[in-house]
Structures are given as structure tokens and as C-alpha cells.
Amino acid sequence: SFAVFSMIGTVLLKLPRATPPGQEISWLDSAFTIVSAISQTGLVVRPTGEGFERFGQIVILIWIQVGALGVIVFGALLASLFGSGFGLKATQSMAEGTEQGWSGQIMIQRLVTFIIIFTHAVQAVGAAILFFAWPEEWMGMPADMVSVSDRIYHSIYFSVSAFTNAGFVTTDNSMIGLRGHWIPHLVIAPLIILGSIGFPVLRNVWDVLVAKFRHRRLDPNGGLIRINLNTKIIVGATLIAYLIGYVLIVISEYAQTSEPLHLILLDAHFMSVNRTAGFNTIETGDMGRLALLALIFTMFLGGSPVSVAGGIKMMVF
């Protein structure tokens, strides 16, 4: 499935509508871009905003979303839309893919439903906030961000890319032009965290919140609804990884740059959260050696099992 999606995306990016006139993309660059998108890697060989027309950008965005949901979950979504149930093989595949002991047709269907609804709900909320939060002008802003429909489009693009930890953006310089603005730190960063924390953790927290709101303690099977051990371990490990990256980046940038302290603190926060995505508020190549080592270490750790993030996963950490 991964190979088929990659080949289809590669062909679509080769269409004349995908790139600006006179800037046709090679087969190699097209394949690299689409594989980077479907695997949420964020590496690019040409700027997404300037190197692709709106059609090509949308292709990349769709492939980002497909890769984030996972081919199996995406297939389950199509099956649900067409009224088909889960067969034995589909249920077994989903159970193996979740890694957290989710098993049984009903449990898997609930998890798939939660993943689909939660993903699109969070992305919609993020896009709505971004629509009203964009400054009138900033350095590196998309050249085609002139109308209301353009603001909606770029808001959706950034929200999806942030939640999926993909890092693809339609600006010229990622989030550098918004370095001192509140958007990267209060909108993009939380979206990255929600995408990287893992869907079983999010489902567990959601069940506990709903149970407290409804004043219930037991689930339909008679089990106690509470924060489970998996959630505690992953949340704790995520917080430790964030603090390690944050402290080391602050020390490195404070010792090796002349930037104001408040900008150093903001940069350290965003870049430490950003270990699982591909955004940046400062040029990575300009960061100090200690900060780069911290990023390498925290990128190696990555996110959580059954999330959109990479790395060896927080459960291993």
C-alpha cells in the first residue's frame, strides 16, 4: 500500500498543473517529495510554496494526511464510508498496528473512529484559530495569501502539517518570520504535541474526562475508567525529553549567541517541541553544537507509539 500510494503521488506531482511553468520537477525529486510527505519526514528538495502550484501542494497535503492516519486506518475509513464492516484480517492488522493491546473488532472500530474524528476535529480547530491569528504581513508569508479563501487554505495547510508532524509549509522560511509571534508557540506547538503523543493516550485521557463529566467510574464492561500505566509512562517520558531539549538549547544559545533572553527561551521551547516535526523558528544551521546535539538526541527519541511521530518511541525511552 505504501509503495502504491507513493507511485500514484509521484505521478501526480509530475503533472504540468503541479508545478509552476518552466519549473517541471524531475521523477527523482517528485518521488522524494511524495515519500517524504507520506512518511511525515518534512525533508524537501524544493520549497513547497514556491516550487509547486496549488494542485501540487494539495497533492502533498493529502498524502501527508494519508500517511498520518496510516494506510490501514485510511482503508478502514473508506470501508466505513461504504458501509462495510471489519473482517478478521483487518481487525488483526489493526490490533498489531496499535501496539498497545487493543484487540477485538469492537475495540478496534472504536479506536479507528476516535482517530478519524479526533484528527479532523483538532485540525479544524487549529485551522480556525490560525485563520483569525495570521498577521497582516510578515517576513516570508505566502505570496498568494491575499483573499479570505487563501487564508482558509493556508490555515488548513499549516494545521494539518503541524498535527501530522510533517513540517511541510507554504512559507519561504518555515516559522522564522513569526518567531516572536504567538502563533508558533500557542497554536503550532500544541498541534505538534497532540499529534505526537499517541492516539491510545489521547483516547484514554478523553475517556477519563468524559467519565468525570458524566460522573461515571466504570466502563460498559465493568472496568474502572482511569489514567492507565501506558499513558503515565508516555506523558512522563515526553515531558522529560522536552525538558532535556529545552534546557540544553537554552544553555547553548545563551552561551553562543547574543540574542535577547526572551527570544532564546521562545526558540528553545518551540525547537524542543519540534523534535518530531519539521518546523523551525530559527535557522537550524545557526544553532550551537550543544543545541544541535540536543535536537539529534530528542529526534532520535521521537514521539509515542501509534502516533504520527517518528523515532524509537517514548515507550522505549
Side-chain angles (χ1 to χ4, degrees):
S1 300
F2 187 91
V4 170
F5 273 109
S6 297
M7 288 188 288
I8 294 174
T10 298
V11 172
L12 290 176
L13 286 187
K14 280 290 294 180
L15 296 177
R17 292 180 57 194
T19 53
Q23 299 184 34
E24 181 181 351
I25 191 171
S26 68
W27 284 105
L28 181 61
D29 288 349
S30 178
F32 185 93
T33 300
I34 210 68
V35 170
S36 179
I38 198 172
S39 58
Q40 291 88 52
T41 306
L43 297 174
V44 296
V45 289
R46 62 164 60 190
T48 307
E50 294 181 349
F52 295 95
E53 294 285 2
R54 188 67 61 90
F55 174 79
Q57 294 173 5
I58 292 175
V59 169
I60 293 172
L61 186 67
I62 293 174
W63 260 244
I64 288 172
Q65 189 78 320
V66 170
L69 290 175
V71 174
I72 296 176
V73 174
F74 188 74
L77 170 61
L78 294 179
S80 300
L81 291 176
F82 286 102
S84 302
F86 281 11
L88 179 61
K89 287 187 176 181
T91 301
Q92 183 178 0
S93 296
M94 281 297 300
E96 293 173 350
T98 57
E99 305 174 27
Q100 299 298 320
W102 291 74
S103 60
Q105 189 177 38
I106 296 178
M107 295 294 287
I108 294 301
Q109 286 180 327
R110 287 177 179 173
L111 179 60
V112 169
T113 301
F114 175 80
I115 290 173
I116 294 170
I117 294 176
F118 185 86
T119 296
H120 291 92
V122 170
Q123 290 172 346
V125 172
I129 296 174
L130 287 172
F131 175 80
F132 294 103
W134 294 121
E136 289 298 323
E137 293 184 3
W138 77 90
M139 181 182 68
M141 70 178 292
D144 60 349
M145 198 175 189
V146 293
S147 65
V148 172
S149 60
D150 292 332
R151 289 173 67 91
I152 294 174
Y153 169 74
H154 290 289
S155 298
I156 293 174
Y157 211 101
F158 269 79
S159 181
V160 172
S161 186
F163 181 82
T164 58
N165 286 213
F168 282 82
V169 291
T170 52
T171 57
D172 296 339
N173 55 6
S174 189
M175 307 296 293
I176 293 177
L178 297 168
R179 181 186 183 190
H181 199 271
W182 59 274
I183 284 180
H185 313 287
L186 297 182
V187 183
I188 301 298
L191 286 172
I192 293 173
I193 293 172
L194 287 174
S196 65
I197 202 71
F199 291 110
V201 173
L202 294 171
R203 177 60 192 266
N204 180 226
V205 173
W206 175 259
D207 287 343
V208 171
L209 292 176
V210 171
K212 286 185 177 295
F213 178 77
R214 296 180 177 178
H215 303 289
R216 292 190 314 170
R217 298 188 61 188
L218 302 178
D219 60 27
N221 298 323
L224 185 64
I225 302 176
R226 61 183 179 182
I227 298 295
N228 58 40
L229 180 60
N230 171 67
T231 299
K232 293 177 181 178
I233 292 175
I234 289 179
V235 171
T238 300
L239 179 60
I240 292 172
Y242 164 77
L243 291 175
I244 290 175
Y246 180 79
V247 171
L248 292 179
I249 293 173
V250 168
I251 293 174
S252 175
E253 296 303 287
Y254 185 78
Q256 300 180 18
T257 68
S258 57
E259 296 287 351
L261 180 60
H262 74 280
L263 284 180
I264 292 177
L265 296 177
L266 286 175
D267 292 338
H269 159 69
F270 188 80
M271 296 303 288
S272 185
V273 169
N274 191 56
R275 71 184 184 277
T276 58
F279 298 91
N280 59 289
T281 52
I282 54 176
E283 291 289 353
T284 309
D286 295 337
M287 298 177 69
R289 293 293 179 87
L290 179 60
L292 292 176
L293 287 173
L295 284 179
I296 291 173
F297 173 68
T298 53
M299 284 190 297
F300 176 73
L301 295 179
S304 305
V306 201
S307 73
V308 298
I312 63 171
K313 308 302 184 185
M314 285 300 159
M315 184 60 73
V316 179
F317 177 54

